[in-house]
Amino acid sequence: MYFVANWKMFGNLKSLNSLDKVIKFSKSKEIKKGRLIYCPPYTLISSFFKKFKNCLIDIGAQNCHESIDYGPHTGFVNCKMLKDIGANYVIIGHSENRSKGETDKIINIKIKSAIKAKLKVIFCIGETLTEKRKKKTRSVLSKQIKIGLNKIKKKSNMFIAYEPVWSIGTGKIPSTKELEQIIEFIKNKFKGRSPKILYGGSVNPKNIKNIKNINNLNGFLVGGASQNPKKFIDIVKKTYN
Ligand code: PGA
């Protein structure tokens, strides 16, 4: 199982100290077969990379510019730059960016450029509360997948993170049955070796027991709870116990 920590726009150099517990945990037997991936803000990627030098924790970024080339894009960072400073993963299509105008088409270009730069993609999809109420979840997910992955051949190296927008940061999660059906729906869209599938949205040490055994689920994308090392470790431990 993969456990991705999405720190969003939180964290500073002092937060590096909080990682000691996680590093220790990552070297213990308790981690079982869990794989940890930290996605801090851009400003901390390099420091996290150095901090994790002697352990198996991986690093990712939370977004990227769509262009693989260097260029006049003030304030942005491309995938080559991310790879250069130690990132191996990148989150693309997070709803917090979609809601600011990131389209499925731009997401598709970003994914292609991440693949070119040899970054593993964590591609986020999910419906809003209104879409859910209108029973549009499946058609929304289908569209996001169809356009987002247009003309991308090799998908087995990729992760799809199903993150219902109404669940992010709200404490609400889908029922086990609902989640099972959606994960199966996503999985069935791929023939052969499909992407790995993660769930994200208010995952915490309390609700993990309800979602850890979902068929075909390969892990979790954790926001708020991942900034607290004890909670993040607890999520991993409880997944295996
Ligand atoms: P949350 O965020 O765990 O705080 O709900 C998840 C995410 O946005 O990736």
Coordinates of all heavy atoms in Angstrom, one line a residue, residues 177-237:
K177 N -19.4 0.9 0.8 CA -20.0 0.3 -0.4 C -19.9 1.2 -1.6 O -19.5 0.8 -2.7 CB -21.5 0.0 -0.1 CG -22.1 -0.9 -1.1 CD -23.6 -1.2 -0.7 CE -24.3 -1.6 -2.0 NZ -25.7 -1.2 -2.0
E178 N -20.1 2.5 -1.3 CA -20.0 3.5 -2.3 C -18.6 3.5 -2.9 O -18.4 3.5 -4.1 CB -20.2 4.9 -1.7 CG -21.3 5.8 -2.3 CD -21.5 7.0 -1.4 OE1 -21.1 7.1 -0.2 OE2 -22.0 8.0 -2.0
L179 N -17.6 3.5 -2.0 CA -16.2 3.6 -2.4 C -15.8 2.4 -3.2 O -15.2 2.5 -4.2 CB -15.4 3.8 -1.2 CG -13.9 4.3 -1.4 CD1 -13.9 5.5 -2.2 CD2 -13.3 4.6 0.0
E180 N -16.3 1.2 -2.7 CA -16.0 0.0 -3.4 C -16.5 0.0 -4.9 O -15.8 -0.3 -5.8 CB -16.7 -1.2 -2.7 CG -16.0 -2.5 -2.8 CD -15.9 -3.2 -1.4 OE1 -17.0 -3.1 -0.7 OE2 -14.9 -3.7 -1.0
Q181 N -17.7 0.5 -5.0 CA -18.3 0.6 -6.4 C -17.5 1.6 -7.3 O -17.3 1.3 -8.4 CB -19.8 1.0 -6.3 CG -20.6 -0.1 -5.7 CD -22.0 0.3 -5.4 OE1 -22.3 1.5 -5.4 NE2 -22.9 -0.6 -5.1
I182 N -17.2 2.7 -6.7 CA -16.4 3.7 -7.5 C -15.1 3.2 -7.9 O -14.6 3.4 -9.1 CB -16.3 5.1 -6.8 CG1 -17.7 5.6 -6.5 CG2 -15.5 6.1 -7.5 CD1 -18.4 6.2 -7.7
I183 N -14.4 2.6 -7.0 CA -13.0 2.1 -7.3 C -13.1 1.0 -8.4 O -12.3 1.0 -9.3 CB -12.3 1.5 -6.0 CG1 -12.2 2.5 -4.9 CG2 -11.0 0.9 -6.3 CD1 -11.4 3.7 -5.2
E184 N -14.1 0.2 -8.3 CA -14.3 -0.8 -9.3 C -14.6 -0.2 -10.7 O -14.1 -0.6 -11.7 CB -15.4 -1.8 -8.9 CG -15.4 -3.1 -9.7 CD -16.6 -4.0 -9.4 OE1 -17.0 -4.0 -8.2 OE2 -17.0 -4.6 -10.3
F185 N -15.4 0.8 -10.6 CA -15.8 1.6 -11.8 C -14.5 2.2 -12.5 O -14.3 2.0 -13.7 CB -16.8 2.7 -11.5 CG -17.1 3.6 -12.6 CD1 -18.0 3.3 -13.6 CD2 -16.5 4.9 -12.6 CE1 -18.3 4.1 -14.6 CE2 -16.8 5.8 -13.7 CZ -17.7 5.4 -14.7
I186 N -13.7 2.7 -11.7 CA -12.4 3.3 -12.2 C -11.5 2.2 -12.8 O -11.0 2.3 -13.9 CB -11.7 4.1 -11.1 CG1 -12.5 5.3 -10.6 CG2 -10.3 4.6 -11.7 CD1 -12.0 6.0 -9.4
K187 N -11.4 1.2 -12.0 CA -10.5 0.1 -12.4 C -10.9 -0.5 -13.7 O -10.1 -0.8 -14.6 CB -10.6 -1.0 -11.3 CG -9.5 -2.0 -11.3 CD -8.3 -1.6 -10.5 CE -7.1 -2.6 -10.7 NZ -5.9 -2.1 -10.2
N188 N -12.2 -0.7 -13.9 CA -12.8 -1.3 -15.1 C -12.6 -0.5 -16.4 O -12.8 -0.9 -17.5 CB -14.3 -1.5 -14.9 CG -14.5 -2.8 -14.1 OD1 -13.6 -3.6 -13.9 ND2 -15.7 -2.9 -13.5
K189 N -12.1 0.8 -16.2 CA -11.9 1.6 -17.3 C -10.6 1.2 -18.0 O -10.3 1.7 -19.1 CB -11.8 3.1 -16.9 CG -13.1 3.6 -16.4 CD -13.2 5.1 -16.7 CE -14.6 5.5 -16.7 NZ -15.4 5.2 -17.9
F190 N -9.8 0.4 -17.4 CA -8.5 0.1 -17.9 C -8.4 -1.4 -18.2 O -8.7 -2.2 -17.4 CB -7.4 0.5 -16.9 CG -7.4 2.0 -16.6 CD1 -8.1 2.4 -15.5 CD2 -6.8 2.9 -17.4 CE1 -8.2 3.8 -15.2 CE2 -6.8 4.2 -17.1 CZ -7.5 4.7 -16.1
K191 N -7.9 -1.6 -19.4 CA -7.6 -3.0 -19.8 C -6.2 -3.3 -19.4 O -5.3 -2.4 -19.5 CB -7.8 -3.2 -21.3 CG -9.3 -3.0 -21.6 CD -9.5 -3.3 -23.1 CE -10.8 -2.7 -23.6 NZ -10.6 -1.3 -24.2
G192 N -5.9 -4.6 -19.2 CA -4.5 -4.9 -18.9 C -4.0 -4.3 -17.6 O -4.8 -4.2 -16.6
R193 N -2.8 -3.9 -17.5 CA -2.2 -3.3 -16.3 C -2.7 -1.9 -16.1 O -2.3 -1.0 -16.8 CB -0.7 -3.4 -16.3 CG -0.2 -4.8 -16.1 CD 1.3 -4.9 -15.9 NE 1.7 -4.2 -14.7 CZ 3.0 -3.7 -14.5 NH1 3.9 -3.9 -15.5 NH2 3.3 -3.1 -13.4
S194 N -3.6 -1.8 -15.1 CA -4.2 -0.5 -14.9 C -3.3 0.4 -13.9 O -2.4 -0.2 -13.3 CB -5.6 -0.6 -14.3 OG -5.5 -0.8 -13.0
P195 N -3.6 1.7 -13.8 CA -2.9 2.5 -12.8 C -3.3 1.9 -11.4 O -4.3 1.3 -11.2 CB -3.5 3.9 -13.0 CG -4.2 3.8 -14.3 CD -4.6 2.4 -14.6
K196 N -2.4 2.3 -10.4 CA -2.8 2.0 -9.1 C -3.8 3.0 -8.6 O -3.8 4.1 -9.1 CB -1.5 2.0 -8.2 CG -0.5 1.0 -8.5 CD 0.7 1.1 -7.6 CE 1.8 0.1 -8.1 NZ 2.3 0.5 -9.4
I197 N -4.7 2.6 -7.7 CA -5.7 3.5 -7.3 C -5.6 3.8 -5.8 O -5.5 3.0 -4.9 CB -7.1 2.9 -7.6 CG1 -7.1 2.6 -9.2 CG2 -8.2 3.9 -7.3 CD1 -8.4 2.2 -9.7
L198 N -5.7 5.1 -5.6 CA -5.6 5.6 -4.2 C -7.0 6.3 -3.8 O -7.7 6.7 -4.7 CB -4.5 6.7 -4.0 CG -3.1 6.4 -4.6 CD1 -2.2 7.7 -4.4 CD2 -2.5 5.2 -3.8
Y199 N -7.3 6.3 -2.6 CA -8.4 7.2 -2.1 C -7.9 8.3 -1.3 O -6.9 8.2 -0.5 CB -9.4 6.4 -1.2 CG -10.4 7.3 -0.6 CD1 -11.4 7.9 -1.3 CD2 -10.2 7.7 0.7 CE1 -12.2 8.8 -0.7 CE2 -11.0 8.6 1.3 CZ -12.0 9.2 0.6 OH -12.9 10.1 1.1
G200 N -8.5 9.5 -1.5 CA -8.1 10.7 -0.7 C -9.3 11.4 -0.3 O -10.3 11.5 -1.1
G201 N -9.3 12.1 0.8 CA -10.4 12.9 1.3 C -10.7 12.5 2.8 O -11.2 11.5 3.1
S202 N -10.2 13.4 3.7 CA -10.4 13.2 5.1 C -10.0 11.9 5.7 O -10.6 11.4 6.7 CB -11.9 13.4 5.4 OG -12.3 14.8 5.2
V203 N -9.0 11.3 5.1 CA -8.5 10.0 5.7 C -7.8 10.3 7.1 O -7.0 11.3 7.2 CB -7.4 9.3 4.8 CG1 -6.8 8.1 5.4 CG2 -8.1 9.0 3.4
N204 N -8.2 9.6 8.1 CA -7.6 9.8 9.4 C -7.5 8.5 10.2 O -8.0 7.5 9.7 CB -8.3 10.9 10.2 CG -9.7 10.5 10.5 OD1 -10.0 9.3 10.8 ND2 -10.7 11.4 10.4
P205 N -6.8 8.5 11.3 CA -6.6 7.2 12.0 C -7.9 6.6 12.5 O -7.9 5.4 12.8 CB -5.7 7.6 13.2 CG -5.1 8.9 12.9 CD -6.0 9.6 12.0
K206 N -8.9 7.4 12.6 CA -10.2 6.8 13.0 C -11.0 6.1 11.9 O -11.5 5.0 12.1 CB -11.1 7.9 13.6 CG -10.7 8.3 15.0 CD -11.8 9.0 15.8 CE -11.3 9.4 17.1 NZ -11.3 10.9 17.3
N207 N -11.0 6.8 10.7 CA -11.8 6.2 9.7 C -11.1 5.2 8.8 O -11.7 4.5 8.0 CB -12.5 7.3 8.8 CG -11.5 8.2 8.2 OD1 -10.4 7.8 7.8 ND2 -12.0 9.4 7.9
I208 N -9.8 5.0 9.0 CA -9.0 4.2 8.1 C -9.5 2.7 8.2 O -9.5 2.0 7.2 CB -7.5 4.2 8.5 CG1 -6.7 3.5 7.4 CG2 -7.1 3.7 9.8 CD1 -6.6 4.2 6.1
K209 N -10.0 2.3 9.3 CA -10.5 0.9 9.4 C -11.7 0.6 8.5 O -11.9 -0.5 8.1 CB -10.9 0.6 10.9 CG -12.0 1.4 11.5 CD -12.4 0.9 12.9 CE -13.6 1.6 13.5 NZ -13.4 3.1 13.5
N210 N -12.5 1.7 8.2 CA -13.6 1.5 7.3 C -13.2 1.4 5.8 O -14.0 0.9 5.0 CB -14.6 2.6 7.4 CG -15.0 2.8 8.8 OD1 -15.1 1.9 9.6 ND2 -15.3 4.1 9.2
I211 N -12.0 1.9 5.5 CA -11.7 1.9 4.0 C -10.5 1.1 3.7 O -10.1 1.0 2.5 CB -11.5 3.4 3.6 CG1 -10.6 4.2 4.6 CG2 -12.9 4.1 3.5 CD1 -10.4 5.7 4.2
K212 N -9.8 0.6 4.7 CA -8.5 -0.1 4.3 C -8.7 -1.4 3.5 O -7.7 -1.8 2.9 CB -7.7 -0.4 5.6 CG -8.4 -1.4 6.5 CD -7.6 -1.6 7.8 CE -8.1 -2.7 8.6 NZ -7.3 -3.0 9.7
N213 N -9.8 -2.0 3.6 CA -10.0 -3.3 3.0 C -10.7 -3.3 1.6 O -11.1 -4.3 1.1 CB -10.7 -4.3 3.9 CG -9.8 -4.7 5.0 OD1 -8.5 -4.8 4.8 ND2 -10.3 -4.9 6.2
I214 N -10.9 -2.1 1.1 CA -11.6 -1.9 -0.2 C -10.8 -2.7 -1.3 O -9.6 -2.5 -1.4 CB -11.7 -0.5 -0.5 CG1 -12.4 0.3 0.6 CG2 -12.4 -0.3 -1.9 CD1 -13.8 0.7 0.4
N215 N -11.5 -3.5 -2.0 CA -10.9 -4.2 -3.2 C -10.2 -3.3 -4.1 O -10.7 -2.2 -4.5 CB -12.1 -4.9 -4.0 CG -12.2 -6.3 -3.6 OD1 -11.2 -6.9 -3.0 ND2 -13.3 -6.9 -3.9
N216 N -9.1 -3.7 -4.6 CA -8.4 -3.0 -5.6 C -7.8 -1.6 -5.2 O -7.3 -0.9 -6.0 CB -9.2 -2.7 -6.9 CG -9.5 -4.0 -7.6 OD1 -8.5 -4.8 -7.8 ND2 -10.7 -4.2 -8.1
L217 N -7.9 -1.3 -3.9 CA -7.4 0.0 -3.5 C -5.9 -0.2 -3.1 O -5.5 -1.1 -2.4 CB -8.2 0.5 -2.3 CG -8.0 1.9 -2.0 CD1 -8.4 2.8 -3.1 CD2 -8.9 2.3 -0.7
N218 N -5.0 0.7 -3.7 CA -3.6 0.5 -3.4 C -3.0 1.5 -2.5 O -1.8 1.6 -2.3 CB -2.8 0.7 -4.8 CG -3.3 -0.3 -5.8 OD1 -4.1 0.0 -6.7 ND2 -3.0 -1.6 -5.7
G219 N -3.9 2.3 -1.8 CA -3.3 3.2 -0.8 C -4.2 4.5 -0.7 O -5.3 4.6 -1.2
F220 N -3.5 5.5 0.0 CA -4.3 6.7 0.4 C -3.5 8.0 0.1 O -2.3 8.0 0.3 CB -4.6 6.6 1.9 CG -5.4 5.4 2.2 CD1 -4.8 4.2 2.6 CD2 -6.8 5.3 1.9 CE1 -5.5 3.1 2.9 CE2 -7.5 4.2 2.1 CZ -6.9 3.0 2.6
L221 N -4.2 9.0 -0.2 CA -3.6 10.3 -0.4 C -4.1 11.1 0.8 O -5.4 11.4 0.9 CB -4.1 11.0 -1.7 CG -3.6 12.4 -2.1 CD1 -2.1 12.6 -1.9 CD2 -4.0 12.7 -3.5
V222 N -3.2 11.5 1.7 CA -3.7 12.1 3.0 C -3.2 13.5 3.1 O -2.1 13.8 2.9 CB -3.0 11.3 4.2 CG1 -3.6 11.7 5.5 CG2 -3.2 9.8 4.0
G223 N -4.2 14.4 3.3 CA -3.9 15.8 3.4 C -3.6 16.2 4.9 O -2.6 15.9 5.5
G224 N -4.6 16.8 5.5 CA -4.5 17.3 6.9 C -3.8 16.4 7.9 O -2.8 16.8 8.5
A225 N -4.2 15.1 7.9 CA -3.6 14.2 8.9 C -2.2 13.9 8.7 O -1.4 13.5 9.6 CB -4.5 12.9 9.0
S226 N -1.7 14.1 7.4 CA -0.3 13.8 7.2 C 0.7 14.8 7.7 O 1.9 14.5 7.8 CB -0.1 13.7 5.6 OG -0.1 14.9 5.0
Q227 N 0.2 15.9 8.1 CA 1.1 16.9 8.7 C 1.5 16.6 10.1 O 2.4 17.2 10.7 CB 0.5 18.3 8.6 CG 0.5 18.9 7.2 CD -0.6 19.9 7.0 OE1 -0.7 20.8 7.9 NE2 -1.3 19.8 6.0
N228 N 0.7 15.7 10.7 CA 1.0 15.3 12.1 C 1.6 13.9 12.0 O 0.9 12.9 11.6 CB -0.4 15.2 12.8 CG -0.2 14.7 14.2 OD1 0.5 13.8 14.5 ND2 -1.0 15.4 15.1
P229 N 2.9 13.8 12.4 CA 3.6 12.5 12.2 C 2.9 11.3 12.9 O 2.8 10.2 12.3 CB 5.0 12.7 12.7 CG 4.9 14.0 13.5 CD 3.8 14.8 13.0
K230 N 2.4 11.6 14.1 CA 1.8 10.5 14.8 C 0.5 10.0 14.1 O 0.3 8.8 14.0 CB 1.4 11.0 16.3 CG 1.0 9.9 17.1 CD 0.6 10.3 18.5 CE 0.0 9.2 19.3 NZ -1.1 8.4 18.6
K231 N -0.3 10.9 13.6 CA -1.5 10.5 12.9 C -1.1 9.8 11.6 O -1.8 8.8 11.3 CB -2.3 11.8 12.5 CG -3.1 12.3 13.7 CD -4.1 13.4 13.3 CE -4.8 14.0 14.5 NZ -5.4 15.3 14.1
F232 N -0.1 10.3 10.9 CA 0.2 9.6 9.6 C 0.7 8.2 9.9 O 0.3 7.3 9.2 CB 1.3 10.5 8.9 CG 1.5 10.2 7.5 CD1 0.4 10.0 6.6 CD2 2.8 10.0 7.0 CE1 0.6 9.7 5.2 CE2 3.0 9.6 5.6 CZ 1.9 9.5 4.8
I233 N 1.6 8.1 10.9 CA 2.1 6.7 11.2 C 0.9 5.8 11.7 O 0.9 4.7 11.3 CB 3.2 6.8 12.3 CG1 4.4 7.5 11.8 CG2 3.5 5.5 12.9 CD1 5.4 7.9 12.8
D234 N 0.0 6.4 12.4 CA -1.1 5.6 12.9 C -2.0 5.1 11.7 O -2.5 4.0 11.8 CB -2.1 6.5 13.8 CG -1.8 6.2 15.2 OD1 -0.8 5.5 15.5 OD2 -2.6 6.8 16.1
I235 N -2.1 5.9 10.7 CA -2.9 5.5 9.5 C -2.3 4.3 8.9 O -2.9 3.3 8.6 CB -3.0 6.7 8.5 CG1 -3.9 7.8 9.1 CG2 -3.5 6.2 7.2 CD1 -4.0 9.1 8.3
V236 N -0.9 4.3 8.8 CA -0.2 3.2 8.2 C -0.4 2.0 9.1 O -0.7 0.9 8.6 CB 1.3 3.5 8.0 CG1 2.0 2.3 7.3 CG2 1.5 4.8 7.2
K237 N -0.1 2.2 10.4 CA -0.2 1.0 11.3 C -1.6 0.4 11.3 O -1.7 -0.8 11.2 CB 0.1 1.5 12.7 CG 1.6 1.7 13.0 CD 1.7 1.9 14.5 CE 3.1 2.3 14.9 NZ 3.2 2.8 16.3

